[in-house]
Amino acid sequence: MAEQHSRLQVFTSNWQAAALLLPTLALISVFLYYPFLETVQLSFYQLRVLGSGEWVGLQNYVQLFESGAYRNSLIVTILFTAATVTASLFLSLIISFLIHEANRFTDLYLVAAIWPYAMPLAVAGIVLDFLINPRIGVVTWAIEALTGFQFAWQTNGALALVAVIIAAVWQGLGYSIIFMTAAFNQVPDSITDAAKLDGIGRFQRLFRIYVPLISPVLVFLIVIQTIGAFFGGFALIDLMTSGGPSNATNVLMFNLYQDAFVNQRFGYASAQSVVLFGFVAVLMYVQLRVTDRYAYYGGA
Amino acid sequence: MSIVPDTVNERLSTTTGDSQLATHGALWLIISVLILPIALAAVYSTQTTNAVYQITNVFPGSALVENYTTVLFEYNFGQYMWNSFVMATVVIVGKLVFSLLAATALVYYDFRFQSLIFYAILFTLLMPLPVRIVPLYQLMADIGWLNSFAGLTSPFIASATAVFLFRQQFRSIPASVVETAKLDGIGPIQFLANVLIPMSKGMIAGVTAIMFISTWNAYLWPLVAIIDRTNQVAQVGLRYIQGTGAEGFVQWNLVMAAGILVLIPPLIVLLVARRYLLSTLGGGE
């Protein structure tokens, strides 16, 4: 990244520059770097009460890697993430493509498709929690009336995971559609017209022509959505399943929250934070290598 | 006169014509499915608690005013929404002001370690809340900020994303505009207020909308940092109202009303600012 500042330089005072940067640097030092470094330090301690503990070296990490519960959380998180990202990107691709193909009402369709981006995950969670409630939910009732299938997700672990995945996909669609629509709009009309003249079917056109053309955006979305799913399912799990039944939806984030703020195992929870940091670092690195678009627009 | 032969035009338009009906049909279907849960929630939010427990009753009820009043005043959603609103406002104003100042320094000054400082800010993208939550909680407890707006908002105000976006935006402003300002000999704050901000309105609007939505929708940190219910935000308020009937009898009509209330502000922001939001997120590069 070659930086060309000389042409733009308007001001010369170094102390002015320092003053302009001071608020941001002070805030990131106190509320980002310090707690992050402190997390790394705490992960080597055992603490029952915050503020005092004893150095235990790598014990928290050893415990973590030997823990069946943590391994379960890791598997659940990977399943949740893989299913959410795959379903969400596939559906967004189809929806964005249809919007791009439509000859009229495209602005209307776009707004009607992206609004879930504004929906709080907590709202997605409680609304679905009621609508697919196995005893009184109208959707579960309709599914059973039509197909005979009992969507008993409150007692069946695999179905519980399906339920939170549905909520996550629903809420996450808008974000991907925003980026894909922008990417589709940059595909030259001449390519589309040429493909039509060659008589290529529309879904072939989507997967053989558009998908390769917008692949940088797809990679960006895969990484961002993976990070989002790794960290973001918390409100859904907390409101819909509380990690159950039998830990079937106990994702890493929920496990961390429980260990830190319910079980008060602060050192152990910090070790989990460090492992999560490892995951973000790897994903961000992949993204940096593949695309130059590295702003993260997600939650915090 | 078109230089394209008629047969070609015909072929283009018929292919399009054939598929248009299917395209529109599919879109209406998909959009209906996306909206249906919220539409149902809105209907349920007008029913009485008895009606909401009759599974096949999906018709508007008579308790609209009563439900929303109960949620707003008895279940304190008026207070929670106000708290969310104050939190979002503080975070957005803080983010905008500090990021604009930082971006100005990063683009229009030339000093040692400039790139290093930029990358140090950018590196905080690797530190989302979950990787610093325990010490952050401890820090807030130590300085007495738990349960306060200061504790609620301070971890979110520094923003690598906003600094990054404004830096990009400033670098896209033509050098000629900057040169003029330079000749006028104005100071940095004047330069920011008179030149940079007016030329970055779209970006500022987009960032504001994105930040409002993400701050309003924050759940984990308010859950951890706020203990006293009167200081709680709307997202966690949903948890309270859903939990009130834990003994087996949840008043789902009230829960749905609360959900609709919490959804409205970010939805309005999305609708009003969609143009800026779309260009800030999807546009650029």
Side-chain angles (χ1 to χ4, degrees), chain A residues 29-281:
Chain A
S29 307
V30 177
F31 297 113
L32 287 131
Y33 277 95
Y34 165 73
F36 168 64
L37 296 173
E38 187 72 11
T39 300
V40 178
Q41 198 193 348
L42 287 183
S43 73
F44 299 112
Y45 282 81
Q46 186 167 30
L47 328 99
R48 279 284 163 188
V49 188
L50 270 173
S52 68
E54 110 191 62
W55 169 270
V56 292
L58 289 170
Q59 192 193 301
N60 287 323
Y61 291 97
V62 173
Q63 218 180 343
L64 212 52
F65 292 114
E66 286 176 349
S67 154
Y70 192 72
R71 205 171 306 129
N72 169 69
S73 269
L74 187 62
I75 293 169
V76 167
T77 307
I78 291 171
L79 287 175
F80 172 78
T81 305
T84 305
V85 173
T86 310
S88 170
L89 286 187
F90 181 76
L91 289 173
S92 319
L93 196 59
I94 303 285
I95 297 170
S96 315
F97 181 62
L98 288 170
I99 293 173
H100 185 67
E101 290 274 286
N103 57 355
R104 280 186 296 160
F105 312 127
T106 45
D107 286 345
L108 181 74
Y109 288 141
L110 189 59
V111 174
I114 65 169
W115 68 267
Y117 168 67
M119 174 169 56
L121 258 187
V123 170
I126 54 146
V127 166
L128 285 192
D129 194 29
F130 175 53
L131 296 182
I132 64 175
N133 185 297
R135 281 179 300 112
I136 51 166
V138 68
V139 174
T140 331
W141 174 86
I143 291 172
E144 195 175 343
L146 291 172
T147 66
F149 176 69
Q150 289 187 331
F151 190 37
W153 59 278
Q154 288 181 342
T155 48
N156 178 319
L159 292 181
L161 199 53
V162 170
V164 288
I165 289 167
I166 291 172
V169 170
W170 179 37
Q171 194 271 345
L173 280 176
Y175 186 81
S176 301
I177 294 174
I178 290 172
F179 282 88
M180 288 181 186
T181 303
F184 279 144
N185 286 339
Q186 309 220 321
V187 175
D189 284 346
S190 56
I191 294 182
T192 311
D193 289 346
K196 283 179 181 169
L197 281 174
D198 284 347
I200 296 176
R202 56 188 355 204
F203 285 100
Q204 271 201 319
R205 200 161 72 231
L206 171 60
F207 290 106
R208 295 258 176 92
I209 297 172
Y210 282 145
V211 167
L213 281 173
I214 68 164
S215 55
V217 171
L218 294 179
V219 172
F220 165 78
L221 285 173
I222 289 171
V223 176
I224 284 297
Q225 299 281 31
T226 303
I227 295 173
F230 240 91
F231 290 95
F234 182 80
L236 289 178
I237 308 286
D238 191 44
L239 290 167
M240 291 175 77
T241 65
S242 302
S246 313
N247 288 324
T249 57
N250 192 359
V251 294
L252 291 174
M253 247 330 290
F254 195 74
N255 199 61
L256 191 162
Y257 168 79
Q258 293 274 327
D259 276 332
F261 299 104
V262 180
N263 305 329
Q264 316 264 302
R265 301 176 67 188
F266 297 109
Y268 191 54
S270 296
Q272 297 180 33
S273 286
V274 173
V275 173
L276 280 177
F277 169 78
F279 282 113
V280 206

